[in-house]
Amino acid sequence: MTKGWNLRGSAISLALLALLWEVGVRVGGVPPYILPAPSRIFNTFLAELPLLFSHAGTTMAEVVLGLFLGSAGGMGVALTLFYLPSVGRALYPLILGLQVTPVFAIAPLLVLWLGYGIWPKVAVAALISFFPIAVNVTDGLRSVGEEMVDLLRTLGAREGKTFRLVRLPASLPFLFSGLKVASTLSLVGATIGEWIGAQHGLGYLMLHANALLRVDLVFAAILTLTLLGLALFGGVALLERRFLRWRKEGKNS
Amino acid sequence: MLEKTKTVLSLQRIHFSYRGGAIPVLAGVDLEVARGGWVTLVGPSGCGKTTLLKVACGLLRPARGRVLLAGEPVDPRGKVAYMPQHDTLLPWRTALGNLLLPAEVEGRPRKLARREALSLLSRFGLDAFANSYPGQLSGGMRQRVALIRTFLTEREVLLLDEPLSALDALTRAELRDWLRGIWEELGRTVVLVTHDVEEAVVLSDEVCVLSSRPARVLGRLAIPLPRPRDPTSSETSRLRGEVLACLRGGSHD
């Protein structure tokens, strides 16, 4: 992923975009409660850093908890689909139904059931991140070739050992692919959860600022969300590189 | 009677079919392999050579017939080493890590296994690759590592399913000598499957010719030549001709 990045090019295009925005707003005389200039947004971002930080902490806690619970659930479903295919087949329509139902549609219910604290947001983040993990890990468990399993059997391994020595490590790259998707999705989930009913968090802050026509603060919150998303993705990518060193080195031949 | 005790692996009238008899694969195959000997199975592709190996190592249960190890009828699962046809190195483990797999499955002490693996790597010219991942190795090197791993299983009988087939001609000739060398030094019993008649004649004590499916034994040919054998000598050419004649004789019915 990072291989395709051209840092200098990205920086230049970003700077150009900001410049165009800045000039457009100033020349066009757009009022700041409609579209604030980037310089104003950045100033607000700096000035409100403690406030943004405190709300970001709440959102991040929801995301990380949701991601953790969603991953655990996703892996559980993947293992069930793999080891108990008949149970898996019975459950699959249910899981798929849950997935195609927009999670945001049931978010109000979650708020009703779980209150205004972090738990409905954790639930939304978990529900939204569970599916990519389940699908990817299932593929990972199935990616192990028949001959590899045969080899382990002739060495005298039972399924437990085969799982630990072969299936689990073979699933890791798939797990990380799922985590990359899930980590960004769960941030979306937590934010929307906060829109529906919250007392803290970046989503709540955005709604609040919007009502006060503090569009600069809305943008500052969006910038914070973007940074959180990048940090999450980067964290997963870092873990991936740490655990899958063989993939990088294996390509040198 | 004396001859009998020398036999380490014996397959007696093995019948096997897939899907409960719908597709007969083996029709009463007999095989006797002497301790320390080398028997090669040749036959038309798809005739059931791999199936026979899988019966011999207990991955498949014959419909009729018996598998005997050192004269005792047993379930050979876990008692006979098997090297499947395709790349079965774990891509996330280095060459050395792959060699430790048998010891890990069996719960043998890691330190000892490591020392043993390192000594074999250096004895057979692979010490420079101990810490390389399979993705960094050439096809020939990968097969060498997989072959050494098979020798490290501490089983008396090694079943090798076309270990040299996927290699280019030059590497194959090189690996053929290398494999003979390691077998002569480590002294194990080998059953090799190949479709390369020259390979069979150059390497084995005995060539066993199988018919097309369902497989029967068409003939056995002792190769009483001293090793190393010259694949271009008149003796080997004559024996190759005999094996080919035997193969052709079976394809008429």
Side-chain angles (χ1 to χ4, degrees), chain A residues 147 151 161 169 246 249-250 253, chain B residues 86 88 92 105 133 135-136 149:
Chain A
E147 296 203 324
L151 176 74
K161 255 189 181 144
W246 59 274
E249 297 189 23
S253 60
Chain B
H86 298 107
T88 48
W92 55 85
V105 171
Y133 290 97
Q136 297 169 298
R149 183 174 66 189

Side-chain angles (χ1 to χ4, degrees), chain A residues 166-249:
Chain A
V166 180
R167 293 198 204 278
L168 187 66
S171 307
L172 270 189
F174 293 82
L175 174 65
F176 277 110
S177 298
L179 269 177
K180 280 181 175 170
V181 177
S183 64
T184 46
L185 281 180
S186 63
L187 189 62
V188 176
T191 309
I192 299 207
E194 287 170 356
W195 282 0
I196 287 162
Q199 289 155 334
H200 216 250
L202 287 169
Y204 163 79
L205 181 68
M206 282 166 74
L207 275 195
H208 189 66
N210 205 33
L212 299 173
L213 293 183
R214 286 282 313 274
V215 181
D216 55 333
L217 190 54
V218 175
F219 271 102
I222 292 174
L223 179 62
T224 313
L225 275 173
T226 306
L227 293 176
L228 280 190
L230 287 176
L232 266 172
F233 191 86
V236 174
L238 221 66
L239 276 178
E240 182 182 35
R241 202 185 291 182
R242 163 81 187 71
F243 278 104
L244 304 181
R245 210 173 298 148
W246 59 274
R247 274 177 124 198
K248 228 172 131 54
E249 297 189 23

Side-chain angles (χ1 to χ4, degrees), chain B residues 8 39 50-51 62 67 69-70 87 98 100 108 165 171-172 177 183 190 192-193 200 205 226-227 241 251:
Chain B
V8 57
V39 173
T50 298
T51 307
V67 179
L69 283 176
D87 229 4
N98 268 287
L100 298 182
R108 278 186 267 142
S165 301
T171 315
R172 194 189 302 181
D177 283 340
W183 169 73
V190 169
L192 174 80
V193 159
D205 297 329
R227 293 182 178 90
S251 63

Side-chain angles (χ1 to χ4, degrees), chain B:
Chain B
M1 209 48 217
L2 233 149
E3 279 300 314
K4 266 273 187 278
T5 52
K6 260 195 78 188
T7 303
V8 57
L9 169 70
S10 128
L11 305 181
Q12 298 182 342
R13 294 175 300 284
I14 300 289
H15 289 258
F16 183 86
S17 23
Y18 285 107
R19 293 209 206 116
I23 312 165
V25 182
L26 304 173
V29 176
D30 288 301
L31 192 72
E32 298 247 309
V33 190
R35 188 176 296 276
W38 186 314
V39 173
T40 298
L41 304 170
V42 296
S45 46
C47 75
K49 300 183 292 262
T50 298
T51 307
L52 189 61
L53 288 194
K54 284 189 176 175
V55 168
C57 63
L59 287 171
L60 296 175
R61 228 168 268 287
R64 270 185 286 154
R66 296 194 304 174
V67 179
L68 282 77
L69 283 176
E72 298 291 317
V74 287
D75 176 4
R77 172 90 72 92
K79 301 188 178 75
V80 173
Y82 170 56
M83 177 170 154
Q85 188 174 353
H86 298 107
D87 229 4
T88 48
L89 295 178
L90 301 170
W92 55 85
R93 286 186 176 216
T94 60
L96 179 61
N98 268 287
L99 294 186
L100 298 182
L101 190 67
E104 252 171 85
V105 171
E106 288 156 27
R108 278 186 267 142
R110 198 181 164 81
K111 235 183 201 161
L112 207 72
R114 203 183 139 83
R115 200 178 316 142
E116 206 181 343
L118 280 170
S119 103
L120 282 199
L121 278 174
S122 72
R123 262 168 86 189
F124 298 103
L126 293 173
D127 34 357
F129 303 102
N131 295 314
S132 302
Y133 290 97
Q136 297 169 298
L137 298 173
S138 67
M141 282 300 162
R142 281 204 290 270
Q143 286 310 79
R144 281 175 215 237
V145 174
L147 283 163
I148 289 186
R149 183 174 66 189
T150 312
F151 276 90
L152 277 170
T153 54
E154 300 193 338
R155 307 288 196 275
E156 172 52 38
V157 180
L158 316 181
L159 311 175
L160 310 178
D161 194 356
E162 304 204 24
L164 313 181
S165 301
L167 306 170
D168 61 87
L170 197 68
T171 315
R172 194 189 302 181
E174 221 176 87
L175 227 68
R176 188 196 283 170
D177 283 340
W178 180 88
L179 179 55
R180 177 187 50 74
I182 179 170
W183 169 73
E184 280 174 353
E185 256 189 75
L186 300 177
R188 259 13 124 61
T189 310
V190 169
V191 179
L192 174 80
V193 159
T194 183
H195 56 248
D196 183 339
V197 174
E198 183 182 298
E199 186 178 302
V201 169
V202 167
L203 287 173
S204 7
D205 297 329
E206 185 185 299
V207 178
C208 179
V209 181
L210 297 177
S211 71
S212 55
R213 207 179 260 205
R216 292 170 294 107
V217 176
L218 288 176
R220 292 170 212 283
L221 215 77
I223 315 286
L225 304 176
R227 293 182 178 90
R229 296 169 186 157
D230 176 4
T232 56
S233 78
S234 59
E235 268 303 282
T236 48
S237 307
R238 186 182 61 76
L239 288 162
R240 252 175 67 194
E242 277 185 39
V243 173
L244 283 170
C246 190
L247 267 169
R248 255 182 244 119
S251 63
H252 284 309
D253 54 25

